[in-house]
């Protein structure tokens, strides 16, 4: 089972293609930052913007680069159940340690639709641990608690959730026994772990693994607040490109390229971000 501090990893690109040579040094950087694992192809990893083949290849590259040092969870959520099932089955075959799936965005699904979707995804990767990725802002709706309670009965490999909802009142609702819950918003790491969460899956950890790992290992309210402030500072810029730019400044050979319609930083934004990092 997953535990501890995981990075919601970026996906290295060279132009509009996977930068296969960058995966290994990037994973080395994450491992050196004290993390326990990574989530590939989630929100920070631009997952839903890639084709099925690209996502499968990226999972293979992350698993190979990790070499057992980090646990690699693969986000396999997609717009259709067929694609989600195919991605989940491939992740299990590729050696991922777990599969996570967000509810398909755009359409408003009823409880039966969502339950059938998650059950099919969990079955496709069984007995690999399966996690529901709850993120109301990204999917457009919150996964009903009733769906998770029923899924717990139907899917023997349902291990837990990653919950990226805020404020804490929304997060707390998903602390469902005996499921393992990972905190998404860094500002909630202290409150979440105090309330029973088993770790964090952090977008900030994609570029600041050491800082996030330290707070997850020894959670303090002050540490969580500092991470929240760091997140707010990064999100003054286009976040995906900003995290990749920060990685470059930290010596990781990762380019700033992102999959459109995400955009790169302007030259002014690069200078502002560089100045902020040097002064912080």
């Amino acid at each position: 089972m997953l535990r501890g501090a995981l990075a919601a990893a970026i996906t290295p690109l060279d132009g509009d293609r996977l930068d296969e040579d960058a995966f290994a040094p990037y994973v080395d950087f994450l491992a050196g930052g004290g993390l326990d694992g990574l989530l590939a192809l989630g929100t920070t990893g631009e997952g839903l913007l890639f084709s099925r083949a690209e996502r499968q290849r990226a999972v293979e590259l992350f698993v190979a680069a990790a070499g057992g040092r980090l646990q690699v969870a693969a986000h396999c959520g997609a717009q259709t159940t067929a694609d989600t099932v195919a991605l989940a089955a491939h992740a299990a075959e590729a050696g991922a340690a777990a599969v996570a799936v967000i509810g398909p965005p755009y359409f408003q699904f009823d409880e039966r639709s969502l339950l059938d979707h998650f059950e099919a995804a969990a079955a496709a990767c069984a007995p690999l641990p399966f996690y529901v990725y709850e993120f109301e802002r990204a999917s457009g709706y919150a996964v009903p608690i009733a769906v998770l309670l029923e899924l717990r009965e139907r899917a023997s490999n349902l291990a837990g959730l990653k919950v990226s909802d805020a404020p804490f009142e929304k997060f707390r609702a998903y602390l469902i026994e005996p499921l393992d819950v990972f905190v998404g918003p860094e500002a909630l790491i202290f409150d979440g772990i105090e309330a029973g969460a088993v770790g964090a899956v952090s977008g900030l950890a994609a570029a600041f693994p050491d800082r996030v790992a330290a707070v997850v290992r020894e959670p303090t309210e002050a540490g969580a607040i500092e991470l929240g402030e760091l997140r707010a500072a990064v999100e003054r810029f286009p976040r995906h490109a900003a995290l990749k730019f920060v990685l470059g400044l930290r010596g990781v050979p990762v380019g700033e390229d992102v999959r459109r319609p995400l955009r790169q930083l302007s030259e002014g934004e690069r200078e502002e971000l560089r100045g902020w990092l040097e002064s912080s």
Side-chain angles (χ1 to χ4, degrees):
M1 293 293 182
L2 301 178
R3 287 289 189 280
L6 284 73
I10 60 94
T11 302
L13 292 177
D14 180 5
D16 201 41
R17 303 175 62 181
L18 296 178
D19 185 356
E20 298 201 2
D21 292 338
F23 280 77
Y26 177 50
V27 172
D28 289 345
F29 169 76
L30 296 179
L35 296 177
D36 300 293
L38 65 89
L39 174 67
L41 299 161
T43 306
T44 303
E46 309 169 51
L48 268 68
L49 297 179
F50 295 112
S51 70
R52 184 198 293 185
E54 288 173 319
R55 294 175 70 174
Q56 291 172 336
R57 181 57 178 156
V59 168
E60 294 168 359
L61 290 165
F62 273 120
V63 170
R69 294 173 299 162
L70 298 177
Q71 292 186 299
V72 177
H75 173 243
C76 299
Q79 191 69 63
T80 68
T81 300
D83 280 347
T84 303
V85 164
L87 289 165
H90 172 268
E93 294 168 0
V99 161
V101 168
I102 197 169
Y106 187 78
F107 294 100
Q108 296 296 304
F109 300 101
D110 62 17
E111 291 186 4
R112 178 179 173 183
S113 300
L114 283 174
L115 179 58
D116 289 348
H117 177 78
F118 287 127
E119 184 180 11
C125 66
L128 203 68
F130 178 80
Y131 294 79
V132 172
Y133 180 7
E134 160 57 26
F135 193 3
E136 181 178 4
R137 180 168 61 84
S139 58
Y141 54 84
V143 175
I145 299 298
V147 168
L148 297 170
L149 295 177
E150 182 64 22
L151 184 64
R152 186 178 59 182
E153 301 304 314
R154 294 194 189 185
S156 60
N157 59 326
L158 177 64
L161 303 95
K162 177 196 174 183
V163 181
S164 291
D165 295 344
F168 186 66
E169 289 69 27
K170 286 189 174 183
F171 177 93
R172 187 196 301 273
Y174 289 95
L175 291 167
I176 302 169
E177 294 289 345
L179 301 179
D180 291 338
V181 175
F182 286 84
V183 183
E186 292 85 5
L188 299 184
I189 287 176
F190 174 75
D191 289 336
I193 292 178
E194 282 286 294
V198 300
V201 179
S202 160
L204 273 183
F208 301 94
D210 45 350
R211 295 186 62 172
V212 174
V215 176
V216 172
R217 294 221 180 350
E218 297 184 19
T220 64
E221 187 172 9
I225 290 172
E226 288 179 2
L227 290 180
E229 292 171 347
L230 179 59
R231 161 76 75 152
V234 169
E235 291 196 343
R236 292 180 294 134
F237 308 92
R239 178 165 60 92
H240 297 81
L243 289 171
K244 292 181 178 183
F245 183 70
V246 170
L247 285 166
L249 294 178
R250 301 196 72 183
V252 185
V254 170
E256 186 190 318
D257 295 316
V258 292
R259 175 60 56 87
R260 295 181 66 185
L262 296 174
R263 73 166 177 88
Q264 294 187 353
L265 303 174
S266 68
E267 192 54 43
E269 287 169 334
R270 291 186 189 94
E271 290 307 310
E272 183 181 352
L273 181 52
R274 181 183 289 107
W276 169 73
L277 284 169
E278 291 173 352
S279 65
S280 62

